[in-house]
Amino acid sequence: MASMDVHEHLRRAGNSGSASDWISATSSIVASIVGLVTLLTVYVAAMQILSRRQLYRLGVSTKSLGPWKSRVVTPSLLRMQTQISTPTVSLRKLVKNDWQPKITFPVGFNNKSTKADSDPEILAEASWVNFLQALGLTPECTEFYEMQSESELVNGIVPMRWKGRDLVGICSMLGFQSHEAKPSAKTPMPLPMLWSGPLGWLQFRASSEGCVVEYRRRAAFQNQLSVERHNYYIDLKPRPLCLKSRLWQSINGLYLPDDRLLYIGSSDPVTEKLRDRRENTQHSMDERCEEVMASDMSNEKMMRVMWGKKADRPKAASPGAIEKGPSQLPQSEFLPEFLRELSSAMVLKSEQSNHFQVLRRCPGLLSIIVEGELVGIRGLDLSRCHELNRTYVDPEEVTQEFEHSLGRFRMKIDLLDLLKKAVLLLQPDGFYFTPTKHLCSDVNEIWQHVTDHSDKLPFIFPLDQLKGSEEGKRWGENGIHLFHAIDLCNQFQHIKMESRVMFTIEDMVIISKASNSLRGIVTESGTDIIWAMIVSPDLFSFLVERFAIMDVQDVLKATVEYKGEVLDCTALNTIPTNTGNPGMKFPVPLMSNGTFSGAQVLAAFVDVFLTYFWIDKCWISDVAVYDATIPQSVTMC
């Protein structure tokens, strides 16, 4: 009995040991699996951390940030954590600190790599670094930007935050253009969006970070002006860029001395309504038809009676209706066929005539239009602005009250004086002329007589008698500058007539340097002679004809005198010409009495052409219209 108890006890003990072993083994297996999963989790997490750390290190590396790394990345005291900050730029701060832009084509930064196949210049991965380089803003320009903390990277890049309106203002100043047929100032800016300009492209898109923009520069290309011209002007200084002038041009205005502004608006709708009310009181179309049918009139008089060439013209042929096209002209159902044909001819003729534009002061104009808000946003002073509006009239309607002219503008003498000051400040400044569409049209109107001659001339001034630039020294102390400027003008004229090219920023700088050197010959007191050539197409035509046949020495020996609002150019009449002004005396307003040397006259003549070539190569900007529709904050990465 005792033996059986022993065996039973052993059997039970064996079964108990087997269960413990099974439990122990199972626990070990589970622990191993948990450990393996934990190890895999830790490994994956570590790899992710290392990957993010590597991406982070690339984002804050010199390759990504270029010269801005020292400003963006700041190690903590114990080097346990790195603090990131990013620059912010505002137009108000730039204007307040009187920033003078030095716009250049972004070429990247020095690559310190010693590899033989490495590029000497490389672009930063962060596009805002290249964009700021194009603006001439470096980390050392601490007075023009502020640094703010940044919590994370965007697309592996330390981002730069812009206020949408500041970016619009700067891009409009740089000549960027949208690709929308009709940009709207009333609906939100559609995304994605592409802007292009002489410096490259801005690509806007929507993302989880909001509106993200990337800057991409254009491919580098060669200068179009000769190496000799670039070598000669390399040590001369260009005319400095004026930030306020460029900002004002981007919203359809012109800059005046003493930080004053000049705005020429479109036709005043209030004035047009008052004129329409007056015109509605005139005879009906039926009455005019009866008058025409009952009288023996010439075609010109018939058109005047039917559709108006005087101040009492009917509403149908008002300039506002003509600008909208023939479809806006009402047709009487019983109008004779020959009068309908005459109507079409009259509309076509009116469209081609372009009408004169009478300028009047209109205080408060900017307060009721969108450009008025842009003035304040750009940090400009609206109280220092002269506001004008225009009225389109037929030539016969211009009264003696508005006898003074500039292009197709007609105005009083006080407004002509304002335009004179603005025109003389419109000078090549080392970057492309970047006006709005309307400002470009106005400037082209003023320089139209220069365009007419440039479209026909084989060269601006003959240099056949000179074999090289050294020969220019015989012209006198300023002869060498004159020679190179004339040769530069001839190059531009040859390119215009023979080929189509895109000039580089370096070419634009050469124009600025040449113009600046010529202004040194003309001197500040002699800029009136430049004004005379702009305001008087007859004088400019005379000079074009004279300089095409005169010897350089004869030009330099001559003097031109201004007295009693008449410029006497008799000294230049060394050879008979076909000009219709045998006295060689030209009425020119707003000049001071004095005598101009032949060198000053020639330098002014060449400077007018250089300014024309600069204007002719303009980039018309339309992105200012997005000021109210662009997202409030834009991330540039």
Side-chain angles (χ1 to χ4, degrees):
M1 187 68 179
S3 177
M4 291 179 63
D5 290 339
V6 170
H7 285 293
E8 182 66 21
H9 177 74
L10 291 175
R11 185 182 65 78
R12 290 180 178 178
N15 291 339
S16 176
S18 177
S20 298
D21 291 343
W22 181 83
I23 293 173
S24 176
T26 302
S27 299
S28 298
I29 293 174
V30 171
S32 298
I33 293 174
V34 171
L36 182 60
V37 171
T38 302
L39 182 61
L40 289 174
T41 302
V42 171
Y43 175 78
V44 171
M47 292 302 295
Q48 289 178 344
I49 292 174
L50 290 175
S51 177
R52 293 189 62 183
R53 180 61 179 171
Q54 183 179 10
L55 182 63
Y56 176 83
R57 292 181 63 184
L58 289 174
V60 299
S61 67
T62 302
K63 182 179 180 181
S64 293
L65 299 175
W68 285 89
K69 179 180 178 180
S70 60
R71 295 287 297 167
V72 172
V73 182
T74 305
S76 63
L77 182 62
L78 300 178
R79 294 186 178 274
M80 296 296 292
Q81 185 178 7
T82 300
Q83 181 178 359
I84 298 177
S85 56
T86 183
T88 60
V89 177
S90 71
L91 275 178
R92 286 184 176 274
K93 189 176 183 67
L94 295 178
V95 172
K96 181 179 179 181
N97 290 281
D98 195 24
W99 176 52
Q100 289 187 344
K102 296 181 180 178
I103 304 172
T104 60
F105 186 76
V107 295
F109 56 94
N110 291 329
N111 184 4
K112 298 181 180 180
S113 174
T114 57
K115 294 182 180 179
D117 58 347
S118 62
D119 295 329
E121 302 283 346
I122 58 175
L123 293 174
E125 294 292 333
S127 67
W128 62 263
V129 175
N130 305 318
F131 188 71
L132 292 186
Q133 185 184 47
L135 293 175
L137 287 174
T138 64
E140 292 73 29
C141 302
T142 54
E143 68 274 23
F144 298 128
Y145 67 88
E146 296 178 350
M147 301 297 293
Q148 67 176 15
S149 298
E150 184 60 45
S151 59
E152 59 183 10
L153 308 183
V154 177
N155 295 336
I157 298 295
V158 176
M160 178 181 179
R161 310 289 179 174
W162 288 86
K163 288 184 179 179
R165 287 184 157 182
D166 287 332
L167 185 59
V168 164
I170 288 180
C171 288
S172 61
M173 178 188 75
L174 297 175
F176 277 88
Q177 307 164 346
S178 70
H179 286 264
E180 283 192 291
K182 294 182 179 180
S184 173
K186 298 180 179 180
T187 59
M189 187 176 82
L191 296 176
M193 170 65 72
L194 180 68
W195 293 355
S196 64
L199 294 175
W201 295 268
L202 286 174
Q203 301 172 348
F204 296 84
R205 68 179 187 277
S207 74
S208 58
E209 300 291 332
C211 180
V212 175
V213 60
E214 294 179 347
Y215 165 72
R216 180 164 61 90
R217 72 165 192 177
R218 290 183 178 274
F221 54 94
Q222 294 182 345
N223 297 325
Q224 301 301 311
L225 298 177
S226 66
V227 176
E228 290 77 14
R229 295 287 73 76
H230 281 272
N231 290 339
Y232 173 75
Y233 286 106
I234 191 171
D235 294 327
L236 298 184
K237 292 184 178 180
R239 184 177 288 112
L241 275 75
C242 178
L243 175 62
K244 293 181 180 179
S245 175
R246 286 198 160 267
L247 288 176
W248 194 239
Q249 290 170 13
S250 71
I251 52 178
N252 201 35
L254 291 170
Y255 193 62
L256 292 171
D258 301 326
D259 278 343
R260 292 189 175 273
L261 310 169
L262 177 65
Y263 179 83
I264 305 178
S266 57
S267 184
D268 183 6
V270 176
T271 303
E272 293 293 334
K273 287 180 180 179
L274 292 175
R275 186 174 63 183
D276 288 346
R277 290 173 185 173
R278 292 194 302 268
E279 291 169 350
N280 283 335
T281 63
Q282 304 302 318
H283 299 295
S284 66
M285 176 66 75
D286 295 343
E287 293 173 337
R288 291 193 295 273
C289 286
E290 291 179 4
E291 181 181 356
V292 168
M293 298 296 289
S295 306
D296 184 12
M297 301 180 180
S298 64
N299 287 349
E300 182 66 25
K301 188 174 181 180
M302 194 181 304
M303 286 190 291
R304 185 178 300 117
V305 172
M306 291 297 300
W307 297 283
K309 296 288 283 184
K310 300 288 185 180
D312 61 347
R313 64 178 176 268
K315 180 179 179 180
S318 65
I322 292 174
E323 288 176 351
K324 296 178 182 178
S327 62
Q328 299 298 318
L329 296 177
Q331 297 286 343
S332 176
E333 59 183 10
F334 54 86
L335 192 65
E337 185 64 27
F338 82 96
L339 287 181
R340 294 190 184 187
E341 295 177 0
L342 192 59
S343 170
S344 300
M346 178 266 175
V347 171
L348 179 60
K349 182 177 180 180
S350 298
E351 290 176 330
Q352 293 173 344
S353 69
N354 291 325
H355 297 89
F356 287 154
Q357 303 174 38
V358 173
L359 300 182
R360 297 180 177 87
R361 291 185 181 273
C362 187
L365 175 62
L366 279 171
S367 64
I368 61 172
I369 57 178
V370 66
E371 283 85 353
E373 185 175 356
L374 302 186
V375 173
I377 292 169
R378 282 158 170 73
L380 304 175
D381 189 354
L382 186 60
S383 66
R384 299 177 62 83
C385 177
H386 296 276
E387 300 153 288
L388 312 179
N389 78 308
R390 73 188 81 198
T391 303
Y392 295 89
V393 299
D394 291 323
E396 292 86 349
E397 296 181 44
V398 180
T399 64
Q400 301 234 341
E401 183 183 9
F402 305 99
E403 60 178 341
H404 297 284
S405 63
L406 182 63
R408 299 195 69 82
F409 291 121
R410 297 296 183 270
M411 70 212 82
K412 297 180 180 179
I413 189 66
D414 60 324
L415 297 188
L416 184 65
D417 186 45
L418 285 177
L419 280 172
K420 173 191 174 182
K421 295 174 181 177
V423 165
L424 290 178
L425 286 181
L426 193 62
Q427 308 164 356
D429 58 4
F431 192 62
Y432 306 90
F433 182 43
T434 56
T436 61
K437 181 179 179 181
H438 293 296
L439 178 61
C440 181
S441 176
D442 290 342
V443 172
N444 285 335
E445 287 282 1
I446 296 173
W447 261 266
Q448 184 59 49
H449 61 292
V450 184
T451 303
D452 294 339
H453 287 289
S454 179
D455 288 344
K456 297 179 291 186
L457 292 174
F459 51 80
I460 302 304
F461 193 92
L463 291 177
D464 294 340
Q465 68 269 35
L466 299 180
K467 302 302 181 183
S469 60
E470 292 300 317
E471 293 285 343
K473 293 181 178 179
R474 70 186 180 92
W475 297 2
E477 182 179 355
N478 294 315
I480 193 67
H481 285 327
L482 274 171
F483 173 85
H484 283 281
I486 293 172
D487 191 38
L488 179 62
C489 270
N490 287 343
Q491 283 192 35
F492 269 110
Q493 184 65 18
H494 177 75
I495 291 173
K496 175 182 176 179
M497 301 300 288
E498 301 295 334
S499 60
R500 296 293 180 270
V501 298
M502 178 177 174
F503 292 100
T504 64
I505 298 178
E506 287 78 8
D507 292 331
M508 294 293 106
V509 172
I510 294 300
I511 301 178
S512 178
K513 291 181 176 181
S515 175
N516 205 27
S517 67
L518 291 174
R519 289 293 178 106
I521 299 173
V522 174
T523 70
E524 184 177 353
S525 60
T527 53
D528 275 351
I529 194 66
I530 296 177
W531 163 248
M533 297 180 193
I534 295 174
V535 75
S536 175
D538 291 339
L539 169 64
F540 192 78
S541 298
F542 166 76
L543 294 176
V544 169
E545 185 179 0
R546 300 307 307 150
F547 290 157
I549 58 179
M550 288 184 67
D551 184 81
V552 174
Q553 293 297 330
D554 293 334
V555 175
L556 299 180
K557 291 176 183 177
T559 57
V560 173
E561 184 180 6
Y562 182 82
K563 186 177 181 181
E565 297 191 352
V566 174
L567 187 68
D568 188 351
C569 299
T570 304
L572 295 174
N573 189 28
T574 57
I575 303 175
T577 65
N578 297 324
T579 180
N581 189 348
M584 309 302 161
K585 297 181 179 181
F586 302 89
V588 180
L590 299 175
M591 287 182 63
S592 300
N593 291 338
T595 301
F596 304 94
S597 67
Q600 286 181 308
V601 175
L602 183 56
F605 179 78
V606 177
D607 187 58
V608 170
F609 265 111
L610 281 177
T611 304
Y612 160 72
F613 287 124
W614 175 67
I615 292 172
D616 187 51
K617 295 301 177 183
C618 69
W619 283 75
I620 299 176
S621 178
D622 64 357
V623 299
V625 74
Y626 293 108
D627 179 88
T629 65
I630 193 171
Q632 186 171 356
S633 178
V634 177
T635 301
M636 182 176 283
C637 62

